[in-house]
Amino acid sequence: MKTLKIAIQKSGRLNEKSVELLKNCGLNFENYKSSLISPVSNFPLEILFLRDDDIPEYVQDGIADLGIVGENVIQETEVDVAYLQKLGFGKCSLKIAVPNNNQIQQLSQLNGKSIATTYPVILDKFLKKNAIQAEIRTISGSVEISPGLGLSDAICDLVSTGGTLKSNGLTAFADVMSSEAVLIGSKGSENSDLVQELIQRVQSVLRAKETKYVVLNVHRDSLPAIIALLPGVKSPSVVSLAEENWVAVHTVIPERDFWDRISQLKQAGAQGIVVMPIEKIIL
Ligand code: PRT
Ligand code: ZN
């Protein structure tokens, strides 16, 4: 059987979460910082540790069958790959920002101005789409200091907490793209059974992260009200308790509106609510 290869970031913001995701998929491998390649002992897969910028091309060229990388890097490198699954981590936005005291508040005011970025391809498309004629200054890092140094009027950079912009006296005023880590594959790789097996494992881990397992006790009289609060769950398990007329309800609740749902359940008579993480949900 062919051994698959998956490329992940060697070190940096996506490394830890990528390794954690693969381990949660039940894959056994050593995560030595020094090695470039690590075999998985219980699945026909090898893990390649690379710089994130190289991952899209490795996958496009089929050197790696799969990769985990930010959407921003995929768009910037303009590769032809298959998007297999959004992964919910590494979330950030590519934004245009200007010095706080600057009068620029609208895109049209960027006409004739210069913008420093490490994302010239994405920025160029964005400016063309919005009919803005601005000069793109491509630099390789520390974009946020360039207006202060007089190198550009504005910047276009990734933002997550906004702390970097703030501490450099910059304000974001336009969103160019939002990004998160995604699982990509070489074109056609999704037809492989092994790739499908891996995608299903990844999805079962992601699904589990989005939900919590909840067990609660309730008097039988309040049971219909409790069940009405659990839409989407066709038939929660209802187990009789030793105390007459009391039951335990087992169900799953989405992480999204978890606290609202729990307080509604309490108001409807739920007691002794126990919440547990779910490892995997296999459909
Ligand atoms: O060495 P290698 O080339 O592999 O890594 P790298 O240094 O190029 O990338 P790395 O590890 O910094 O980021 C990897 C990926 O993480 C990016 O391609 C994005 O998809 C994603 N990501 C998520 C981010 C951020 N959030 C982020 N905040 N990448 C970079 N930043 C930087 C940003 O450029 C700015 O300098 O963080 C600063 C802003 O952060 P805040 O929190 O202050 O807003
Ligand atoms: Zn990089």
Side-chain angles (χ1 to χ4, degrees), residues 35-86:
S35 67
L36 279 180
I37 190 158
S38 193
V40 172
S41 62
N42 58 353
F43 198 86
L45 180 70
E46 284 174 342
I47 300 175
L48 308 184
F49 296 94
L50 302 174
R51 286 204 58 183
D52 68 345
D53 316 69
D54 296 332
I55 293 175
E57 280 182 14
Y58 269 61
V59 173
Q60 174 182 253
D61 298 347
I63 297 164
D65 308 273
L66 299 167
I68 295 179
V69 69
E71 287 173 288
N72 51 304
V73 182
I74 304 170
Q75 300 286 327
E76 185 63 26
T77 47
E78 296 188 293
V79 288
D80 190 18
V81 294
Y83 272 68
L84 301 178
Q85 179 68 48
K86 288 195 183 237

Side-chain angles (χ1 to χ4, degrees), residues 9 11-14 50-53 70 72-73 90-92 119 144 157-164 179:
Q9 194 188 25
S11 65
R13 288 170 195 263
L14 302 183
L50 302 174
R51 286 204 58 183
D52 68 345
D53 316 69
N72 51 304
V73 182
K91 288 190 176 172
C92 54
Y119 292 92
E144 63 280 357
D157 197 14
L158 294 175
V159 178
S160 48
T161 63
T164 304
S179 174

Side-chain angles (χ1 to χ4, degrees), residues 31-197:
N31 182 25
Y32 295 127
K33 288 275 170 231
S34 56
S35 67
L36 279 180
I37 190 158
S38 193
V40 172
S41 62
N42 58 353
F43 198 86
L45 180 70
E46 284 174 342
I47 300 175
L48 308 184
F49 296 94
L50 302 174
R51 286 204 58 183
D52 68 345
D53 316 69
D54 296 332
I55 293 175
E57 280 182 14
Y58 269 61
V59 173
Q60 174 182 253
D61 298 347
I63 297 164
D65 308 273
L66 299 167
I68 295 179
V69 69
E71 287 173 288
N72 51 304
V73 182
I74 304 170
Q75 300 286 327
E76 185 63 26
T77 47
E78 296 188 293
V79 288
D80 190 18
V81 294
Y83 272 68
L84 301 178
Q85 179 68 48
K86 288 195 183 237
L87 299 174
F89 61 86
K91 288 190 176 172
C92 54
S93 312
L94 188 62
K95 292 182 191 255
I96 298 178
V98 289
N100 294 340
N101 55 7
N102 200 301
Q103 300 305 310
I104 298 178
Q105 277 161 5
Q106 290 173 15
L107 277 179
S108 59
Q109 293 174 288
L110 286 172
N111 271 311
K113 301 280 192 271
S114 58
I115 310 171
T117 189
T118 52
Y119 292 92
V121 173
I122 300 175
L123 178 59
D124 185 50
K125 282 187 187 153
F126 177 83
L127 293 177
K128 285 204 173 108
K129 201 175 86 193
N130 289 284
I132 306 290
Q133 297 205 325
E135 185 197 341
I136 298 175
R137 300 229 161 120
T138 306
I139 56 175
S140 58
S142 303
V143 174
E144 63 280 357
I145 61 172
S146 85
L149 294 176
L151 286 173
S152 68
D153 301 305
I155 66 162
C156 173
D157 197 14
L158 294 175
V159 178
S160 48
T161 63
T164 304
L165 290 186
K166 203 167 172 209
S167 61
N168 285 280
L170 299 166
T171 311
F173 78 103
D175 278 338
V176 177
M177 78 172 284
S178 52
S179 174
E180 66 182 87
V182 286
L183 178 69
I184 53 168
S186 316
K187 277 285 166 82
S189 64
E190 63 273 29
N191 300 325
S192 136
D193 288 348
L194 276 181
V195 170
Q196 280 304 327
E197 164 73 26

